[in-house]
Amino acid sequence: MSQSNLQAQSAKLNQIYNKIGVKFNVKEEPVLNISSIVSGDTINSEDSDLMSTYSPQQQQINALYKGTDARYVLFVTDKNLQPDRTDICV
């Protein structure tokens, strides 16, 4: 992801959540190689209206990430979600 694209995503995230008093500090980290988990161009997700549960594949991706502190992590990928969740994901 380019620096300008990262800044645009950060601005959009804060535009949405600042309304309820939440501010995000977005930081780019090295690319997480998920090729051992995801073959092809699709990540399987649970068929949930609110995406309140993670699929086994998403759980594997989360486990692969080794964060060093307590924070929220947003994974940005060029992979598709199946089932398609464009109705709730930007």
Side-chain angles (χ1 to χ4, degrees):
M1 172 177 279
S2 70
Q3 187 64 30
S4 62
N5 196 354
L6 177 66
Q7 290 170 346
Q9 292 297 321
S10 176
K12 180 71 172 176
L13 189 63
N14 278 303
Q15 177 187 9
I16 293 168
Y17 287 97
N18 283 167
K19 296 172 187 174
I20 59 168
V22 176
K23 178 170 179 9
F24 288 93
N25 295 314
V26 177
K27 175 183 158 192
E28 184 176 16
E29 294 194 0
V31 172
L32 181 66
N33 184 348
I34 61 172
S35 62
S36 63
I37 299 168
V38 180
S39 61
D41 62 354
T42 302
I43 297 173
N44 296 316
S45 66
E46 292 293 319
D47 189 13
S48 170
D49 288 340
L50 298 176
M51 292 189 70
S52 58
T53 58
Y54 293 115
S55 70
Q57 194 175 47
Q58 290 170 315
Q59 291 173 18
Q60 290 177 307
I61 293 169
N62 288 342
L64 186 62
Y65 176 76
K66 302 295 185 209
T68 58
D69 53 7
R71 60 183 160 163
Y72 293 99
V73 177
L74 174 65
F75 296 105
V76 178
T77 179
D78 61 353
K79 306 285 186 194
N80 299 309
L81 281 179
Q82 188 61 38
D84 185 339
R85 300 306 305 173
T86 54
D87 57 325
I88 60 173
C89 298
V90 183

